Every structure is written in C-alpha cells, then in structure tokens.
Amino acid sequence: MSLDDGSTTAKSLYDAQMQVEAAARAGESPNTPALVARTIFHWCDVLVLPHPVPEIASQLYKRAYHEEVFPPQTPLGGILAACIFVGCKAAGAPRT
C-alpha cells in the first residue's frame, strides 16, 4: 500500500497496515482483541462515529474471538466492517 494521493484516509489506511505488520513481526497475532480494539477505535474516529459505536464493536469482536466464531487467521476487513456496522445499528448511529 502506498500514500499516492496523500489524503487523510490513505494515511490512516497506511498507519493501520503498519500497526498490523509491526504486531506480526513482534509475534503478536493481528487478530488479538487488544490490537483489533485499537483498529476499531481508529476507524470509528476516522469515520467520525459516536462514542458508543467503537465500544460496542470492540465488545462484539471480543465475544466472537473468545467464542471462536471464526478461524484465528481470518482476514480482519470483513469482520471489522461487520462489528462496526452492528455497533452503529445498536447505538442508533447512521450507517450510510
């Protein structure tokens, strides 16, 4: 991934990718609840979502992770999007 256009969104995506890669180099699984919670809070800040949304989304992810709903090496993109979507719905935040 590159910072071709220099936009805030591109920089945010690049920063999130660097965090995941740094965790992988440190031996930490990129799917751990602590790292995913930081990513969820980051994306909710980028999307300017109300405060309850990242908390609800993080709790949903932690629950799914501990109940082993998905394999440990599942790509995070769809899981994060689903958790944030459900968090928006539960908090009554707009989803469009």
Side-chain angles (χ1 to χ4, degrees):
M1 181 180 282
S2 66
L3 292 173
D4 293 338
D5 63 358
S7 70
T8 305
T9 304
K11 181 168 179 5
S12 296
L13 285 169
Y14 179 78
D15 290 344
Q17 180 184 10
M18 291 299 106
Q19 286 179 353
V20 169
E21 289 177 5
R25 283 191 300 274
E28 181 180 352
S29 170
N31 290 0
T32 59
L35 183 60
V36 172
R38 284 188 289 177
T39 305
I40 288 172
F41 274 86
H42 171 76
W43 278 109
C44 289
D45 285 343
V46 168
L47 297 170
V48 192
L49 296 173
H51 185 65
V53 173
E55 292 178 2
I56 294 168
S58 293
Q59 291 299 322
L60 286 169
Y61 181 82
K62 286 178 192 175
R63 183 175 174 191
Y65 181 84
H66 291 300
E67 292 180 10
E68 299 178 357
V69 173
F70 49 86
Q73 296 304 320
T74 301
L76 287 178
I79 297 168
L80 290 179
C83 289
I84 292 172
F85 177 81
V86 173
C88 285
K89 191 168 183 173
R95 295 176 295 280
T96 59

